[in-house]
């Protein structure tokens, strides 16, 4: 391609992109759903938390399922004045092996999450590993959808977890599926600080 052809092509591309940017003029709270079997869902949600905190926005984070596991981000988030957290105080389901207990813990954590989803002063709500609460039937699917639908109109929500229910995919504005191509764990490398926990 000649320099001239390249320049013309880029000009056409720029015109197209400028047009699309101009068309995208709606401002509203959106739901981002991060699902799939690959690594990167929860850590991506924390990237959005960083972005929000950079603008002094207020953030509520509810972590379902893995609240007993200490992670680097928990230590970091505890120091942030603009962050509220609710951790489901239970481990992996295959560790607790107690459905009644897990359900009670899910309901308790959801009530805090619901508080965030009713609070206009909270700009971003993270519902980490929420998908499992629906697939394990710990929480009522319709109740979750109704609460999400009725949240403050400018509030953003990030939902993470594998195997997202169709209802979550439908209600979300942005959905990404993280595909597992390779994971260090399968080469017997244990979870690494700063990367996995
Ligand atoms: P991360 O928190 O690192 O962004 P994630 O939220 O996408 O990961 P989860 O299913 O919540 O993934 O699992 C969290 C933990 O399990 C992390 O330590 C992550 O590295 C690890 N993990 C994620 N995907 C896989 C996989 N496909 N095989 C093995 N371990 C995985
Ligand atoms: Mg995760």
């Amino acid at each position: 391609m000649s320099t001239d052809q390249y320049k013309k092509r880029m000009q056409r591309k720029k015109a197209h992109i400028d047009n699309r940017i101009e068309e995208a003029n709606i401002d509203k709270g959106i739901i981002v759903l991060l699902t799939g079997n690959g690594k990167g869902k929860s850590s991506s949600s924390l990237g959005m938390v960083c972005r929000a905190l950079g603008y002094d926005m207020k953030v509520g984070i509810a972590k379902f399922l893995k609240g007993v596991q200490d992670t680097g981000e928990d230590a970091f988030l505890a120091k942030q004045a603009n962050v509220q957290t609710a951790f489901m105080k239970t481990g992996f389901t295959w560790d607790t092996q107690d459905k009644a207990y897990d359900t009670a813990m899910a309901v308790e954590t959801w009530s805090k999450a619901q508080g965030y989803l009713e609070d206009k002063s909270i700009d971003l709500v993270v519902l980490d590993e929420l998908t499992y609460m629906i697939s394990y039937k710990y929480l009522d699917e319709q109740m979750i959808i109704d609460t999400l639908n009725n949240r403050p109109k400018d509030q953003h929500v990030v939902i993470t977890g594998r195997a997202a229910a169709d209802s979550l995919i439908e209600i979300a504005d942005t959905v990404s599926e993280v595909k597992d191509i390779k994971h260090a764990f399968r080469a017997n490398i244990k979870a690494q600080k700063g990367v996995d926990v």
Side-chain angles (χ1 to χ4, degrees):
M1 194 189 302
S2 71
T3 322
D4 204 36
Q5 276 172 324
Y6 177 83
K7 190 171 174 155
K8 281 206 174 102
R9 194 167 159 180
M10 287 305 130
Q11 277 169 344
R12 276 201 302 274
K13 195 172 178 140
K14 181 167 166 39
H16 175 70
I17 292 170
D18 286 350
N19 204 19
R20 286 297 296 123
I21 292 173
E22 206 170 307
E23 277 170 6
N25 58 7
I26 302 168
D27 244 340
K28 77 183 270 278
I30 63 162
I31 298 179
V32 177
L33 172 62
L34 304 169
T35 191
N37 294 338
K39 172 187 160 52
K41 302 174 291 294
S42 299
S43 40
S44 169
S45 74
L46 293 162
M48 281 173 262
V49 168
C50 278
R51 287 182 171 167
L53 293 179
Y55 294 113
D56 292 325
M57 289 160 78
K58 292 210 163 49
V59 179
I61 303 173
K63 279 198 184 190
F64 295 90
L65 267 195
K66 289 185 278 186
V68 288
Q69 193 180 37
D70 287 328
T71 62
E73 71 260 24
D74 296 342
F76 172 78
L77 293 169
K79 296 180 205 153
Q80 304 302 315
N82 280 344
V83 176
Q84 296 178 52
T85 51
F87 296 149
M88 183 167 151
K89 299 261 183 316
T90 180
F92 293 103
T93 44
W94 52 90
D95 287 331
T96 64
Q97 300 167 11
D98 182 342
K99 188 163 185 193
Y101 177 78
D102 284 343
T103 306
M105 292 297 111
V107 169
E108 190 186 307
T109 309
W110 175 255
S111 75
K112 291 186 185 140
Q114 204 161 17
Y116 302 154
L117 293 164
E118 288 167 356
D119 184 344
K120 271 193 190 150
S121 74
I122 298 185
D123 304 289
L124 174 69
V125 178
V126 176
L127 304 170
D128 191 40
E129 320 297 349
L130 179 73
T131 59
Y132 306 98
M133 301 299 103
I134 294 176
S135 40
Y136 295 154
K137 300 203 183 328
Y138 289 173
L139 296 174
D140 184 68
E141 185 169 349
Q142 196 54 49
M143 174 199 67
I144 291 174
I145 300 300
D146 290 345
T147 308
L148 288 167
N149 272 328
N150 293 325
R151 75 191 195 280
K153 71 172 181 44
D154 295 325
Q155 188 181 68
H156 302 300
V157 178
V158 185
I159 300 169
T160 82
R162 298 176 189 205
D166 290 344
S167 59
L168 288 178
I169 294 174
E170 203 174 302
I171 196 181
D173 300 279
T174 297
V175 182
S176 295
E177 182 173 14
V178 183
K179 186 176 165 192
D180 177 31
I181 291 176
K182 207 173 180 185
H183 196 288
F185 184 68
R186 289 201 290 283
N188 290 337
I189 301 168
K190 66 181 193 183
Q192 296 294 301
K193 274 187 183 173
V195 176
D196 298 298
V197 288

